Amino acid sequence: MSVTNVLAEREAMNDWIEYDNYVFGDGEEEFEEMSDGEWLRYNRELHGLSLRDMQTLFAIDRSSLSKYENDKKEPTPWHKMIFADFLAGTFDEKIEDYVREKHQSKGSGYAL
C-alpha cells in the first residue's frame, strides 16, 4: 500500500475512530474494542510498516515490539511516550520519508 493510499485511508478513518476508548464503529453499529497492543499493530500496519521498520524508526527491539503488540509485555514509560506520539501522528512526516526512501532504494519506481 502506498503512502498516499495509507494517508487517504487514515483520513477517512478519522470520521469513525474514537481514540480515547480504542472503539471502532460509526455509533450505529456494534463496537469492537481493541487492546493497546492490537491498536499499536493496527496503526503500524496502517502505515505500511513492518516490525523491522519500527525498530529502525524508533530504536525499539523487534522482539519487544512483538510482545507489546501481543499484549505479552507492558511497554516501558519511554516506549509509551514514543507510541503516544506515533499514534498522534507526530512522526507521520518522518515515516512518509522513510517509506518513500525504502521503496526508492528497492527500485520499485515508487514516486510521489
Side-chain angles (χ1 to χ4, degrees):
M1 181 180 292
S2 73
V3 173
T4 304
N5 290 344
V6 168
L7 293 176
E9 183 178 338
R10 186 175 337 126
E11 184 75 27
M13 290 180 54
N14 286 335
D15 294 335
W16 57 279
I17 295 178
E18 184 178 323
Y19 176 78
D20 290 340
N21 296 319
Y22 308 129
V23 174
F24 285 71
D26 63 4
E28 298 175 11
E29 299 177 13
E30 190 172 321
F31 294 116
E32 176 186 343
E33 291 189 29
M34 298 177 82
S35 70
D36 290 344
E38 290 170 328
W39 182 244
L40 179 61
R41 175 182 290 123
Y42 175 81
N43 279 277
R44 174 180 59 79
E45 291 173 349
L46 182 65
H47 281 83
L49 300 172
S50 67
L51 287 173
R52 185 179 306 272
D53 294 332
M54 291 284 283
Q55 176 177 295
T56 301
L57 285 164
F58 302 120
I60 300 173
D61 182 65
R62 282 183 303 171
S63 67
S64 292
L65 288 164
S66 178
K67 289 175 184 173
Y68 297 156
E69 287 185 354
N70 290 297
D71 298 308
K72 296 189 182 292
K73 181 178 179 181
E74 182 73 19
T76 66
W78 177 250
H79 291 170
K80 285 181 181 180
M81 289 172 45
I82 292 170
F83 296 149
D85 284 343
F86 169 63
L87 295 171
T90 305
F91 302 121
D92 283 357
E93 187 174 324
K94 178 180 178 180
I95 292 169
E96 291 170 26
D97 291 343
Y98 172 82
V99 171
R100 186 179 306 111
E101 289 175 20
K102 180 179 165 185
H103 284 282
Q104 286 175 344
S105 69
K106 290 183 177 180
S108 63
Y110 180 81
L112 293 178

